[in-house]
Amino acid sequence: LNTVFYTDFDFSASFNVLEEMQIKGANNKAQGDKARINDEITATEVRLIGKDGEQAGIVTLSEAQTIADEATLDLVEISPNAAPPVCKVMDYGKRD
């Protein structure tokens, strides 16, 4: 039995690819699933995309909801299976 050790392998590149795969899950909802909005979102923290499309980073759900409320817009979970889920501040037509 021969044992081979790979000492020159760059594992960090593999982890970066896995992280990108988790984030890029925009089409990871089953067809026909309705997007969760506002108080339907259950994650404790989310990757937030602001109303102008800017990346706001990872924030708590309450921070994200406050940002959406202050803009009088909805918080919409656009990629629920990403880690953390991706939410966007946008007009989803559900505000009173």
Side-chain angles (χ1 to χ4, degrees), residues 4-19:
V4 178
F5 294 97
Y6 294 100
T7 57
D8 294 331
F9 186 78
D10 182 10
F11 286 101
S12 63
S14 297
F15 292 122
N16 290 338
V17 169
L18 289 173
E19 185 177 10

